[in-house]
Amino acid sequence: MTAARLISVNVGQPRDVELNGEIKQTAIFKDPVPGRVKVVDHHVDGDRQADQVNHAGVHKAVYAYAREDLDFWAAELGREIEDGFVGENLTITGYDVSHAVVGERWRVGGVEFEVAQPRIPCWKLGVRAGDKSMTRRFELALRPGAYLRVVAEGDVGAGDTVEVLSRPEHGFTVADASRIFHRDRAEAARLLEVAELAPPLKHWARKRLGLEEEGD
């Protein structure tokens, strides 16, 4: 992990976009900001999600993505891809964020984070990319990045090292969770075995297994 570092802190505010003739809101358009940035109250200072139900809260406080995965998308889309392209708050290099173990803890600058779950893509990725197929392509690529909980508040800035403080022995990664949710749904029970996994994915797994009614 000595080579892993934060190369960009990205924030954005909700904006109106057109989708299939309707006006919707999204904050997926994020831009890098200079200097030290506070991470407090389960968000990065200056950043706000348009959908406070599905894209915010304790288990989705901060979204991290690897620069190496952005480079993959640059090759796939045949264009330059800037930091923040998939709506990530933290662009990291030198670490495979999409294969981070659920529950592992990081120290970045003055902040301690815990990996909570993968990104489950929605229509907003298609709007950001200007390509409606992007959401499906993101699912298939199994490069979901990681949503993080904030364990200890502080500040972060480009150039900070990314240090893994601890890693659960179960070895279950955010890519594993993404694969099961999108592709290998017969393995849904595995999601219930990971104590650190965010509640929404466990709720999905319980419904999939018939342990909860759809309305629960």
Side-chain angles (χ1 to χ4, degrees):
M1 286 297 293
T2 54
R5 62 186 176 88
L6 177 63
I7 59 173
S8 181
V9 182
N10 316 296
V11 304
Q13 294 289 316
R15 67 169 69 174
D16 291 339
V17 296
E18 184 177 345
L19 180 70
N20 300 326
E22 295 184 32
I23 300 299
K24 296 181 176 289
Q25 277 209 331
T26 176
I28 196 170
F29 293 88
K30 300 190 188 298
D31 297 306
V33 290
R36 309 297 299 173
V37 184
K38 292 182 179 179
V39 179
V40 294
D41 195 27
H42 309 302
H43 76 288
V44 177
D45 192 31
D47 188 67
R48 188 166 71 86
Q49 291 86 3
D51 183 350
Q52 293 289 308
V53 174
N54 295 306
H55 294 284
V58 174
H59 305 288
K60 294 183 177 180
V62 176
Y63 180 44
Y65 207 69
R67 180 63 241 185
E68 290 78 5
D69 284 335
L70 292 177
D71 292 341
F72 167 85
W73 290 116
E76 283 284 302
L77 299 174
R79 54 189 271 199
E80 291 187 7
I81 296 296
E82 63 274 17
D83 296 342
F85 178 75
V86 296
E88 80 273 13
N89 300 113
L90 308 180
T91 309
I92 291 169
T93 188
Y95 188 60
D96 189 353
V97 176
S98 290
H99 286 86
V101 173
V102 176
E104 73 179 34
R105 292 194 174 189
W106 305 349
R107 178 178 290 119
V108 185
V111 185
E112 185 176 334
F113 296 105
E114 182 178 86
V115 174
Q117 71 164 75
R119 165 80 167 277
I120 304 299
C122 65
W123 59 269
K124 297 178 181 183
L125 272 173
V127 169
R128 180 66 178 87
D131 182 345
K132 291 182 178 180
S133 72
M134 182 64 183
T135 302
R136 182 58 177 160
R137 292 168 76 171
F138 194 88
E139 294 174 1
L140 294 172
L142 294 181
R143 296 170 181 260
Y147 273 114
L148 310 173
R149 303 179 182 98
V150 178
V151 178
E153 298 177 343
D155 59 58
V156 295
D160 286 347
T161 58
V162 180
E163 178 186 3
V164 173
L165 301 175
S166 63
R167 180 177 289 126
E169 293 184 0
H170 56 67
F172 189 87
T173 69
V174 288
D176 290 327
S178 181
R179 174 183 57 78
I180 290 170
F181 182 84
H182 292 298
R183 183 186 304 171
D184 299 325
R185 295 182 169 183
E187 297 181 40
R190 291 189 65 194
L191 301 182
L192 302 180
E193 299 171 357
V194 183
E196 302 89 349
L197 188 65
L201 279 175
K202 290 185 176 181
H203 180 60
W204 172 84
R206 285 192 292 268
K207 289 197 297 183
R208 181 78 185 174
L209 296 166
L211 302 176
E212 290 184 10
E213 297 295 331
E214 286 294 323
D216 289 349

